[in-house]
Amino acid sequence: MYRISTFLQYLSVLISIKSCYKILETAKKIQAELIVIGSRNPGMKTYLLGSTASSVVSYAESSVLVVG
């Protein structure tokens, strides 16, 4: 059971990284001035913000609006 849980956490991180990369790549391609992204629980740091939203906020070249 532990191995399955670890695998799912690893898979979740990989999906988040890919999602972040695609969002930032598209925003740069269309020269977006604002990226709007949803969050599960806005107001808290990375743990509750979600890894995709947190990564987009950290690495975006344009402004980011996080909505909950």
Side-chain angles (χ1 to χ4, degrees):
M1 186 67 175
Y2 175 74
R3 291 181 184 178
I4 293 172
S5 175
T6 303
F7 172 75
L8 292 176
Q9 288 175 343
Y10 179 72
L11 185 60
S12 175
V13 169
L14 289 177
I15 291 169
S16 177
I17 291 169
K18 184 176 181 181
S19 299
C20 176
Y21 173 77
K22 290 304 253 180
I23 291 167
L24 296 175
E25 179 184 53
T26 302
K28 188 171 187 174
K29 182 178 180 180
I30 66 170
Q31 299 177 347
E33 294 180 13
L34 176 66
I35 299 170
V36 179
I37 190 166
S39 174
R40 289 176 259 160
N41 293 314
M44 302 285 295
K45 195 64 177 163
T46 306
Y47 180 72
L48 294 177
L49 185 61
S51 55
T52 301
S54 178
S55 296
V56 170
V57 168
S58 296
Y59 297 110
E61 294 177 4
S62 57
S63 299
V64 180
L65 174 63
V66 180
V67 295

